[in-house]
Structure formats: structure tokens, C-alpha cells
Amino acid sequence: MALKMETRNQMPKRIVEDKVLRFSAGERLSHWVHAISFFVLLFTGLGVLSTSFQPAMAIFGGIQVAQLIHRIAAVFFVVVVGLMFFVGNPRYHWRWLKFVFSFKKSDWQHVCAFPKEFFGGHGNYPEQEKYNGGEKINSLITIFGTVFITLSGVVMWFASSFPPALVRWAYPVHDLSMFIMTAAAIGHIYLGLLHPDSRAAMSGMINGYVSTKFARAHHREWYERLKKEQSMNEQKNV
Amino acid sequence: MARKTVLIDTSLCTGCKACSVACKAWNELPAEKTQLLTSYQTQNAFTTKTWTYMTFVEKYEDQKMNWLMRKAQCFHCADPSCMKACSSNAITKTESGYVVIDQEKCIGCGYCVENCPFGVPKVDQVKKKSYKCTGCIDRVENNLLPACVNTCQPGALSFGERDVVLTQAKKRLAEVQKTHPKAQLYGEKEMGGTTYLYLLLDSPEVYDLPVNPTVPLSLTLWKDVIRPVGTVAVGGAAAAVVLGVFANLFRGNYSNSDHKEGGKD
């Protein structure tokens, strides 16, 4: 399936002058729909997490409205991103899955160097492909977190249609997924906005392109592969 | 107020259902349309407007029918799952042993409904509030008997201090066991000891009661492990980010031109 989806569309030119196309329009749409709906879901869900957040639910017009918004946002959270794997130009979505589920030794080495990098130091790790080890872990947390929070959410939403024992387990699963995804999102936002080295990746999620300098420094294996592929294509076309 | 207990001596119950009528009268709960389900039973679940009802089991043994009747209502557990599950601190336990829902605080999330081992609380989907037997705490605290106890003609319901009622129940059990060898007390230790204590004529499963009711493992894991650990994890991530910003400031990484373009080679 993944392979079929990958080969459906032709590759556009990836390296343009001093920029490299990292994320397609579809990928960026998925990312931002997922990100925005995640935070809407998080904030509207706080009212049932702790009573200390309940007064804040007045922002949404009360806790009952917050619960309604929670369910509407949940539909976007799941359906839009899910659809992007099948409509438009889904090749990149399937490639992303293929990338993050092949966790190699070089990814592990990046993860080991990650704490040092996180606090502004420099660790040693081999050249990385399109996604480094840390990005793969963030992706895996997002994928599994989304699956578990969605399944448990469906059980909670339609509680009367499921056996009580299953509904009882849905609550801890929903909470656990939320905590892990929130912790990951906090780190993810820091790396995208505040970390001096990695925040250069942000443009990739805005207009799709990262600088070749960034690509060379952080994802050399990926950059070299694209360069090779591109020159081969050009030779073919001549 | 010391721990109270209501003994439901099913050996004395005649199944007249006056208790459920008295409950509706005192608590101003409207009648609901019912129909005959089995034996003399007309209801098989609690509703937001029915906080107590009668169950009837016809059990045949040696060509003889045992007519087992039980008044069902909230047990008012000493260790209530509903209270632990409540998202809004709306459920509390009184010193006298009553588990009460504050409808002002209730948001109708239904976590109590799903976690009660006896299926007691019910959520009004329009009002978004959870309802169940209050144990007539308003009467009890004013030295009146609970409405159901007050109305019971055959004396199947009795109310008093827990230790007094428990002694009385054990004495009565010894008596009943002469004719019903499987008779037992239910609620002496179950769920930490329930305020509504039963003298059953047969084993709990015959009455469709859980043999060993417990606080669900999922609930303990959720509230006592995942919640605190998750909060620490999210707090830890936030702290790491703050530390990361300061570490980068301290190292001068924000002003270093090498970092501006994300390059470091």
C-alpha cells in the first residue's frame, strides 16, 4: 500500500537554488490541522481533568460548550489527517510513515546525543536522513498517541454502546495518551521556535522549504540523496 | 455524626414496594411508566428518577420455590468508586457514611456511572447532572428515619448506629440460617463496608450482585498512577524547556551567527 501510494505521483524538483523542499502542502496542512485541533482538544478537555481548570472553561462559554467543542475538534483531529493519507498528494504521508517506522542505529545515536543538543551543547551523531532519531520518536509518539486517544475517545463518546469494563479502561488510556502527547508537544514547540539550532527547521512547516545550509548541517544523508537523485533526473531529461 | 447503617433483612421483606413509593414521595421524584418484567418485578435498573426498586427472583429447589426479594438502592460504600472517579469533586462521603452528589458541582461527565460496581448513579442527559439515592441524608441529619425505613411495614428495614445494627444483623443471621443455610450478610466488608447492609437468603450472584465488588483496577491506575505521573511528566517537559532556553542564553547560542541559519558545520 505504502509503495503504491508513494509511486502514484511524480517527484517535483526538490532542491531549488539555496532551498530544499522538505514538506509538501498536504503535509503542512495535516501538521497544522493536527496541531491546532490538538490544542483545542487539550484546552477544552482541561475541565474534566481537574476542577482547578473548570472556571477557565468560561472562555468557551461553560463546560458543556467546551465538551461540545471537544467533540467537534476531535472529528477534525482524526478525519482531516486521516483523509490526507488518501486524497490529493498522499505520497509524502506514506513516505513519512515508512521513514519513522524504520528506526536504525544512526537514529539511536542521534537520540543519545539529543539531551546534550537540547540544552544547547553539541553531541556526536552520524549524518541523518530526512528525519533524525528525535523527530522519528516525536512522530511515533504522535502516531501511537493519536491512535490510542482516538480509540479511547470513541469508547468514551459512545459509552452506552460499549461494555462498562471497556469504558473504564478508556479513561486511563485517554489520559495517558494526552500526558505523553502534551509532554512531547512542549518539547516539539521548543525545538521549533526557541532552540537556536533546530528552529531553522520551522520554515519547512510554513512554506515547505528549509535552507540548504540547514539541510546539510542537520540532514546531510537526505540532502546528498536528493542532490544525487536530482542530477540523475536532469541527465535523463537532457 | 457516627457511622450509620441501614439493615435490609430480606427474610422479612414482603415485596410490597412501599419503600420505592416512599422514596419518590419524599424526594419528589415523578412516577415512571413501568411494565412487568419478571415475577413481580417492574424495574431492572436505576434511573435519574428511580433511586430504589425491588428485584424478585423465583428460585426453585426440591420442588419448592424460594421467592427472593431485594430492595435495591445505592450501597453508600465506605470506599466509593464513584467519588474516586468524579471529575468535579461533586461526590463526597459524610462522616455518617453517606455518599452524596452535589448537583451544583456535577457536570454530568458520567465517570461515576461507569465506575460504580453496582450500576447506581444515572446521568440526566438534558440536565447534565448525575442522580442517585441520597440515603435521605436530609432526614437522617434531622433525626428522622430514611423515608424507605420509615414506611417499611414488615420491619425488613432498620436504621441505627453501625455497631448496634451489625450486632443485630449477626444475631438475626444465625436465626435465618436455620431455615436458609446459604443466608449471609452482604456489605459488612464489601467496598470497605457499605452503609446499606443486606441480610441475603442466598449467595449474592443469585440476586445478580457482584460476589466480590471492588474499586476497578483501571480507576486506581488512572487516578493514583497515570494522573500524578503524567502531571510530573508534563511539568518536567516544561521545566526542561525553560532550562533549555536559559542554557542556550548562557552559552550565547542565540547571538552566535553560526546558529542563525541553523548551520553548525
Side-chain angles (χ1 to χ4, degrees), chain A residues 48-49 51 54 63-64 117-121 125 159 167-169 171-172 175 179 183 190 194 196-197 199-200 218, chain B residues 87-89 107 111 114-116 128 218 221-222 226-227 230-231 234 237 240-241 244 247-248 251 253-254 259 262 264:
Chain A
V48 286
L49 183 70
T51 46
Q54 280 187 5
I63 193 150
Q64 301 301 340
E117 296 271 329
F118 189 91
F119 294 109
Y125 56 89
V167 181
R168 286 176 193 172
W169 278 102
Y171 302 132
D175 269 29
F179 281 124
Y190 162 72
L194 298 170
D197 260 353
R199 63 179 170 177
H218 291 257
Chain B
S87 69
S88 306
N89 299 336
I107 59 164
Y111 296 171
E114 300 299 335
N115 280 289
C116 173
K128 297 281 177 194
S218 55
L221 198 69
W222 177 26
I226 292 172
R227 279 278 165 91
T231 307
V234 170
V241 163
N248 278 300
R251 289 173 195 246
N253 289 348
Y254 288 110
H259 288 278
K264 57 174 178 175

Side-chain angles (χ1 to χ4, degrees), chain B residues 26 135-147 150 159:
Chain B
W26 175 256
C136 282
I137 189 159
D138 45 350
R139 293 175 60 94
V140 169
E141 287 191 343
N142 289 293
N143 297 315
L144 290 169
L145 289 171
N150 193 47
F159 171 88

Side-chain angles (χ1 to χ4, degrees), chain A residues 58-85:
Chain A
I59 299 166
F60 304 105
I63 193 150
Q64 301 301 340
V65 185
Q67 288 181 340
L68 180 70
I69 299 172
H70 194 79
R71 289 171 179 188
I72 296 167
V75 174
F76 282 91
F77 184 72
V78 177
V79 174
V80 173
V81 180
L83 269 179
M84 293 305 290
F85 279 89

Side-chain angles (χ1 to χ4, degrees), chain B residues 207-228:
Chain B
Y207 289 90
D208 218 11
L209 285 169
V211 177
N212 192 13
T214 47
V215 175
L217 172 67
S218 55
L219 180 60
T220 308
L221 198 69
W222 177 26
K223 296 282 179 157
D224 297 339
V225 181
I226 292 172
R227 279 278 165 91

Side-chain angles (χ1 to χ4, degrees), chain B residues 197-213:
Chain B
L197 174 75
Y198 283 95
L199 193 164
L200 301 176
L201 294 177
D202 211 318
S203 52
E205 62 257 56
V206 177
Y207 289 90
D208 218 11
L209 285 169
V211 177
N212 192 13

Side-chain angles (χ1 to χ4, degrees), chain A residues 1-2 13 32 45 48 61 63 65-66 77 79 82 97 111 145 149 151 155 157 169 198 208 211 217 219 225:
Chain A
M1 185 101 186
K13 206 170 170 191
W32 292 114
V48 286
I63 193 150
V65 185
F77 184 72
V79 174
L97 283 188
V111 171
I149 211 160
L151 294 178
V155 172
W157 189 341
W169 278 102
S198 77
S211 68
H219 303 274
R225 177 170 60 81

